Amino acid sequence: MKIQKYLVGIWAAIAIYTLLSFFGGPKGMSSYNYLLSERDRQWNNIENLGNLNEELERTRSNLIYDQDTILIHARQMGYGYHNERFVRIVGLASANTPPSTAGNIYYAGEPAFISDKNMKITALILGMLVFIFLFMLELIEKRSR
């Protein structure tokens, strides 16, 4: 019966280590939730890149098949007919051209987790505290007899 009391300390250490591993470990719930949020962020980025690709495809097809679009883009770049004259105002040329972008780069970060060494140390210390607590209870019980 006395040995079973002290086995509770070992059981407590194992239970604490299991709980810490499940919730805060490298393959635990917090890391899993972080990776799910990273996955959603990457899917949103892929969706934005798809929208950008569609827009660029529309612009490309307009440039290939529509003469007026070619003329508009040529004027924005500073080209014109051979008999035209331009009045250029300094500082406004960049305002007419929309910035082109190829999308955003997202890097997946490392999820924050409790290291295995720290979990083992914490579980060992708390298991020892339970063991010491039960040992002290037994000593107090012996003295009261």
Side-chain angles (χ1 to χ4, degrees):
M1 185 69 174
K2 290 182 181 181
I3 291 178
Q4 289 176 350
K5 262 189 194 179
Y6 298 120
L7 290 177
V8 172
I10 296 171
W11 181 86
I14 293 170
I16 290 168
Y17 178 74
T18 303
L19 288 174
L20 286 174
S21 295
F22 182 74
F23 289 111
K27 295 181 182 177
M29 292 303 294
S30 66
S31 297
Y32 180 73
N33 289 334
Y34 176 78
L35 291 175
L36 285 179
S37 67
E38 282 292 320
R39 183 194 67 178
D40 293 340
R41 194 172 125 208
Q42 294 293 335
W43 279 114
N44 288 336
N45 187 36
I46 290 171
E47 184 178 322
N48 290 338
L49 289 173
N51 293 339
L52 181 63
N53 188 33
E54 289 174 7
E55 181 182 327
L56 290 173
E57 284 292 327
R58 282 193 301 270
T59 303
R60 179 182 169 266
S61 65
N62 282 341
L63 286 171
I64 290 173
Y65 300 113
D66 190 14
Q67 187 69 24
D68 293 333
T69 305
I70 293 172
L71 290 174
I72 290 171
H73 279 280
R75 289 212 187 261
Q76 285 179 349
M77 293 179 4
Y79 293 104
Y81 288 112
H82 66 293
N83 59 356
E84 288 183 330
R85 293 186 184 199
F86 288 102
V87 175
R88 295 186 194 249
I89 301 173
V90 177
L92 293 180
S94 63
N96 292 336
T97 58
S100 61
T101 180
N104 296 324
I105 298 174
Y106 290 110
Y107 296 104
E110 284 287 322
F113 58 88
I114 304 169
S115 71
D116 193 50
K117 180 181 176 183
N118 289 341
M119 287 188 292
K120 287 178 181 176
I121 291 171
T122 303
L124 182 64
I125 289 172
L126 291 175
M128 291 294 285
L129 287 175
V130 168
F131 179 79
I132 291 170
F133 176 73
L134 291 174
F135 184 72
M136 293 299 237
L137 281 178
E138 187 174 328
L139 286 178
I140 292 171
E141 185 179 310
K142 281 184 180 179
R143 284 192 180 187
S144 66
R145 288 185 193 172

